[in-house]
Amino acid sequence: LSSLERLTAKNNKLKTIPDSIGNLSSKLEIINFGNNLLSSLPDCIGNLSSLKIINCSSNHLKFIPDSIGELKELQKLYLNNNKLIEITESICSIKSLERIHINNNKLTDIPLESMSNLSNLVSLTSHNNEFPNLINIKINQFKKTLPDY
């Protein structure tokens, strides 16, 4: 497994991911655990330093570990259709993040002010959550704006 670049284990009814995932290839760029029964991700996920894409949509995640902030090459984070009640502020240190999709969760807040430091962020989707007030995301909070069409 020393050359593994992509790990896909979607649609398998997985309930846990073993801690040994943190020992996988330093070349691993994509993990897809979508549509399983995961309630958490192991802290050692932060050891996968080459990860560019994480898809853990359609699970039962309530939290994501703070160690995700160690993934300095992460570009896309898909966490739609979970049970997230909180987003760790550590994701705001991942300057390479381009897309964060957190639709259909149980979030009541997201760290918008800290996210304004994500200069490569072009897509943040967060509809169908439990925000107590309508959140107006001001495009000028982000340093990189979308082109006019």
Side-chain angles (χ1 to χ4, degrees), residues 12-126:
N12 281 303
K13 298 182 182 176
L14 294 175
K15 292 183 180 178
T16 60
I17 298 172
D19 286 338
S20 58
I21 192 172
N23 301 325
L24 287 178
S25 168
S26 61
K27 296 178 182 179
L28 187 62
E29 294 184 353
I30 300 170
I31 58 171
N32 185 345
F33 291 115
N35 200 27
N36 280 292
L37 302 172
L38 300 173
S39 58
S40 64
L41 296 176
D43 284 332
C44 63
I45 199 159
N47 297 343
L48 301 173
S49 59
S50 295
L51 274 183
K52 293 185 184 337
I53 300 172
I54 295 176
N55 183 354
C56 286
S57 292
S58 300
N59 278 284
H60 299 278
L61 300 176
K62 291 183 180 177
F63 300 95
I64 52 175
D66 289 337
S67 64
I68 202 163
E70 300 297 318
L71 302 176
K72 301 303 180 193
E73 294 189 33
L74 190 65
Q75 296 170 358
K76 298 173 184 170
L77 180 60
Y78 300 108
L79 297 169
N80 298 317
N81 305 311
N82 277 287
K83 296 179 180 184
L84 292 173
I85 57 174
E86 180 178 272
I87 289 290
T88 177
E89 198 152 330
S90 72
I91 67 168
C92 299
S93 66
I94 309 172
K95 303 296 185 200
S96 57
L97 265 176
E98 298 171 1
R99 299 183 180 283
I100 302 172
H101 292 202
I102 49 176
N103 304 317
N104 302 311
N105 280 287
K106 298 187 177 299
L107 297 168
T108 58
D109 194 20
I110 53 178
L112 280 179
E113 188 172 322
S114 298
M115 283 184 175
S116 66
N117 296 322
L118 298 176
S119 57
N120 290 309
L121 191 65
V122 294
S123 177
L124 169 61
T125 62
S126 60

